[in-house]
Amino acid sequence: MERCGARQALRGLTMAIESLLTEISRAHFPHPPATAARIAAFEAQMGWCLDDDLRAFYLHCDGAELFRRLPDANYSILSLEGIAAATPRLRQRAQGASETASLYPLVDCQDSDFVLVNVANTGGPYPLFDAYHETYPREVRKIADAFSDFLERALASGNRFFWLDEQG
């Protein structure tokens, strides 16, 4: 595993992620931020480092619901603890499929549907994939090149799954 400690300081937030985080705090339901120590413990536990977008998000809020609170949230961005807890369940669903080794649940879309982050590209940016419960793990579809791209499109979606609107 890449040494995450060397990346503790963000390289500088882009204007895009800063404005997205401001929007989450203004109009959505952010959780309290994760500490740098909690992030380091998560990275050690999971065996991968957060990319810059995810690190900025988790230092700002350790998970969030967009548009509505649970249980009615279509977009529930998991806390670090939530990612760790959901990963074994997702792996069990994949029944050991080796191609899922770099995929981790990031957003719970309810009804056993998730948005996954693919951490295979060490250091990021990490792309995001739709994991529809009826087709995962046989089929996953890339829906964003990076977390900031995902957030921007999700926040503009009006609480709709933007990638479903783009299919047709």
Side-chain angles (χ1 to χ4, degrees):
M1 176 177 95
E2 164 189 336
R3 293 200 37 89
C4 300
R7 299 183 60 239
Q8 287 297 344
L10 290 172
R11 294 184 189 120
L13 295 178
T14 65
M15 293 295 278
I17 194 75
E18 283 184 30
S19 66
L20 296 169
L21 296 175
T22 299
E23 173 64 14
I24 289 171
S25 290
R26 184 189 70 76
H28 299 276
F29 306 97
H31 303 183
T35 64
R38 175 65 189 112
I39 290 172
F42 170 83
E43 291 172 327
Q45 173 189 7
M46 301 304 289
W48 54 278
C49 301
L50 299 178
D51 67 9
D52 289 344
D53 280 356
L54 290 172
R55 184 174 303 281
F57 175 80
Y58 284 102
L59 286 169
H60 183 82
C61 54
D62 188 6
E65 285 76 50
L66 305 182
F67 302 102
R68 296 186 182 128
R69 293 188 185 274
L70 287 175
D72 299 317
N74 282 338
Y75 290 96
S76 177
I77 304 169
L78 297 172
S79 66
L80 296 172
E81 183 178 319
I83 293 170
T87 296
R89 292 193 312 270
L90 192 73
R91 295 278 193 274
Q92 184 177 32
R93 224 167 80 187
Q95 300 173 349
S98 62
E99 62 273 8
T100 65
S102 63
L103 296 173
Y104 291 85
L106 184 65
V107 181
D108 185 343
C109 300
Q110 311 311 316
D111 295 330
S112 299
D113 295 330
F114 287 93
V115 171
L116 308 178
V117 59
N118 186 340
V119 301
N121 178 19
T122 303
Y126 299 141
L128 281 75
F129 292 81
D130 176 27
Y132 178 59
H133 71 275
E134 292 184 13
T135 59
Y136 177 80
R138 293 183 322 277
E139 181 183 316
V140 293
R141 185 170 62 97
K142 185 176 175 182
I143 59 173
D145 291 326
F147 183 64
S148 56
D149 177 41
F150 173 84
L151 264 184
E152 181 177 8
R153 293 163 78 191
L155 291 170
S157 73
N159 201 32
R160 295 178 50 89
F161 297 127
F162 66 83
W163 57 94
L164 298 180
D165 292 340
E166 296 169 354
Q167 270 187 306

